[in-house]
Amino acid sequence: EGHPWAALLSGEDLARRAMESYRASPQRIVLEFRTPVCFELDGKKGWGSWMPFPLPELVFGSLRHRITSYRQEFGQPPSREDLASALAVGRVELSSRMLHFERHNRRRSGVVGLCEYLIDREAGRETATWLHLLAQFSFFSGVGAAVSWGMGQCGVPALTTEPARTWPAGAETHP
């Protein structure tokens, strides 16, 4: 029996899952952050350079960078700006965590839990399907900073074999 947070998928299977996700919910993506996630802000150094909240441009910008570095068979995704402008944060069920990496003498704060991203209806099918592909890819790549230290493990809850955490019944609808 396999571990619920380990999997092996071909690029074709990953794309198929993304299309299934898009068809099931074209304007909505939910990511589950299993280990604390944080981001290093571009152009900033030092104490104020870390963002613990999974803003759409940081999450999907990170994923865009990773997929173009490792999976060229999908082609070139929309720009980071186009992806970010197509998204808004919906509901969140997040809690903060502080990690201390003794070996590196570093502390990092991050969040774990669920975050819903809403896709603008005007974004277009190509952008929306790319967003779903990036969300599916997150399971394999992680997201944000310090992934090699164990931070930023995430995925679409349905990808795991564990029961998906969801919001209470009746809370799933939105305009």
Side-chain angles (χ1 to χ4, degrees), residues 83-99:
L83 293 174
S85 69
L87 289 166
V89 172
R91 289 168 296 173
V92 297
E93 185 183 297
L94 299 170
S95 58
S96 63
R97 301 283 189 274
M98 178 64 76
L99 298 179

Side-chain angles (χ1 to χ4, degrees), residues 162-173:
E162 295 178 340
R165 292 175 38 207
T166 60
W167 284 278
E172 294 299 317
T173 58

Side-chain angles (χ1 to χ4, degrees), residues 6-112:
L8 179 63
L9 281 182
S10 68
E12 183 177 293
D13 287 337
L14 186 66
R16 182 184 50 75
R17 283 185 182 221
M19 285 306 297
E20 290 170 2
S21 174
Y22 171 76
R23 284 188 206 107
S25 187
Q27 270 87 42
R28 180 177 180 262
I29 294 170
V30 175
L31 288 179
E32 182 175 8
F33 299 100
R34 294 294 296 250
T35 62
V37 64
C38 72
F39 301 88
E40 189 169 9
L41 299 175
D42 291 337
K44 291 188 91 176
K45 296 287 179 204
W47 183 248
S49 66
W50 293 91
M51 168 58 73
F53 191 81
L55 295 169
E57 60 269 19
L58 298 175
V59 171
F60 289 89
S62 172
L63 291 168
R64 182 189 186 284
H65 173 74
R66 291 170 199 261
I67 204 166
T68 56
S69 298
Y70 301 110
R71 303 300 306 238
Q72 289 83 21
E73 76 262 25
F74 297 121
Q76 189 65 25
S79 72
R80 184 178 176 136
E81 295 77 22
D82 288 345
L83 293 174
S85 69
L87 289 166
V89 172
R91 289 168 296 173
V92 297
E93 185 183 297
L94 299 170
S95 58
S96 63
R97 301 283 189 274
M98 178 64 76
L99 298 179
H100 183 219
F101 298 98
E102 290 181 22
R103 183 175 176 196
H104 301 284
N105 194 27
R106 299 264 194 268
R107 291 181 185 263
R108 294 288 180 254
S109 64
V111 295
V112 295

Side-chain angles (χ1 to χ4, degrees), residues 138-152:
S138 71
F139 178 84
F140 300 97
S141 70
V143 67
V147 170
S148 64
W149 295 0
M151 294 184 75

Side-chain angles (χ1 to χ4, degrees), residues 101-154:
F101 298 98
E102 290 181 22
R103 183 175 176 196
H104 301 284
N105 194 27
R106 299 264 194 268
R107 291 181 185 263
R108 294 288 180 254
S109 64
V111 295
V112 295
L114 297 170
C115 189
E116 175 186 51
Y117 298 94
L118 304 176
I119 303 171
D120 186 345
R121 289 184 177 104
E122 304 298 319
R125 181 184 169 123
E126 180 183 2
T127 298
T129 54
W130 263 104
L131 290 165
H132 281 273
L133 179 65
L134 294 172
Q136 295 292 331
F137 181 67
S138 71
F139 178 84
F140 300 97
S141 70
V143 67
V147 170
S148 64
W149 295 0
M151 294 184 75
Q153 291 181 5
C154 70

